[in-house]
Amino acid sequence: DGGITQSPKYLFRKEGQNVTLSCEQNLNHDAMYWYRQDPGQGLRLIYYSQIVNDFQKGDIAEGYSVSREKKESFPLTVTSAQKNPTAFYLCATADRRRFGNTIYFGEGSWLTVV
Amino acid sequence: DQQVKQNSPSLSVQEGRISILNCDYTNSMFDYFLWYKKYPAEGPTFLISISSIKDKNEDGRFTVFLNKSAKHLSLHIVPSQPGDSAVYFCAASVNSGGSNYKLTFGKGTLLTVNP
């Protein structure tokens, strides 16, 4: 089954804890992204990676960290430094060999701080 | 500074009529534009895109129009169906010169198609 797999779908975190959201893809896409959606808001870019072992901060990277050790995987860690972590998190990928910036999203992960 | 703006948070239309969703942008470097559809608690799905060298792109019931001089694009859905009810996001990117492949999204428009 091809595509982008995010896990877990729902995650609860206590204040002060770090949590890691998983994103795996078997589309052989070079580029991977993490976006965040808050109610009534658009999608805001947290981090992105265009190639293995390289990643860049997006617009709202504070309080987050990522790694890109494998082409297929781009995990996102929400640290205790993130003040408002409750949100819907979306992982996405893109094929850099194709013209244009069509990116494809996973199903998303809900993170709730309790 | 919001570079991609969807000024209508919501839109309601009757089944069978045309839905027109609008999007404005401020960054003149944007040269590729996309529309995504999103249901609650799901990831957005790609609908249609347009390059800045074109002014229209059509795919079935969906047509995207681009007016570069006005920095405006619109998505037309004809005829609208109840299953089209979702949030629609406009997105834009810079593709020339080895871009960083970032997409900038608008805040979305909730479309409701009434039977």
Side-chain angles (χ1 to χ4, degrees):
Chain A
D1 194 20
I4 304 165
T5 302
Q6 289 188 238
S7 62
K9 178 70 175 179
Y10 300 96
L11 184 60
F12 296 89
R13 187 194 92 173
K14 292 183 179 179
E15 285 195 30
Q17 284 183 336
N18 293 354
V19 293
T20 297
L21 305 178
S22 169
C23 179
E24 302 281 331
Q25 57 108 351
N26 60 6
L27 300 170
N28 199 33
H29 287 175
D30 285 309
M32 296 187 74
Y33 308 80
W34 276 103
Y35 284 87
R36 165 180 173 150
Q37 186 188 19
D38 295 281
Q41 299 293 317
L43 305 177
R44 294 185 291 169
L45 182 63
I46 304 172
Y47 267 98
Y48 63 103
S49 168
Q50 299 186 74
I51 199 167
V52 175
N53 293 322
D54 185 56
F55 50 82
Q56 288 81 40
K57 293 181 178 180
D59 301 317
I60 54 165
E62 185 176 351
Y64 299 96
S65 66
V66 293
S67 63
R68 188 82 188 277
E69 297 176 2
K70 299 187 300 181
K71 187 175 186 178
E72 301 80 16
S73 179
F74 191 41
L76 174 74
T77 296
V78 185
T79 75
S80 56
Q82 169 49 236
K83 298 305 178 188
N84 297 294
T86 296
F88 188 52
Y89 290 87
L90 288 157
C91 178
T93 71
D95 185 354
R96 295 185 62 197
R97 295 166 296 176
R98 294 172 61 90
F99 174 78
N101 237 26
T102 304
I103 69 173
Y104 300 92
F105 287 88
E107 289 301 303
S109 294
W110 281 103
L111 173 62
T112 303
V113 174
V114 296
Chain B
D1 178 32
Q2 202 176 346
Q3 298 187 68
V4 178
K5 300 177 184 179
Q6 294 177 256
N7 292 319
S8 297
S10 62
L11 174 69
S12 183
V13 300
Q14 285 298 119
E15 181 178 6
R17 306 293 291 271
I18 184 172
S19 295
I20 300 176
L21 299 130
N22 294 304
C23 179
D24 297 295
Y25 61 96
T26 57
N27 186 347
S28 59
M29 297 298 292
F30 286 146
D31 57 5
Y32 193 70
F33 305 89
L34 309 91
W35 284 94
Y36 286 83
K37 174 181 179 180
K38 186 181 182 301
Y39 294 116
E42 293 185 10
T45 53
F46 169 71
L47 269 180
I48 192 168
S49 62
I50 187 167
S51 164
S52 60
I53 62 173
K54 296 184 175 181
D55 55 18
K56 176 183 174 181
N57 189 26
E58 189 172 355
D59 183 2
R61 297 186 298 115
F62 302 92
T63 303
V64 56
F65 295 92
L66 176 63
N67 182 335
K68 284 195 299 181
S69 61
K71 293 192 178 67
H72 177 83
L73 65 155
S74 61
L75 175 68
H76 292 209
I77 306 174
V78 182
S80 301
Q81 300 172 354
D84 295 329
S85 298
V87 176
Y88 289 79
F89 288 101
C90 171
S93 68
V94 177
N95 282 270
S96 58
S99 76
N100 55 22
Y101 287 77
K102 286 172 54 179
L103 283 185
T104 301
F105 284 85
K107 291 190 174 183
T109 296
L110 173 62
L111 173 65
T112 302
V113 180
N114 301 304

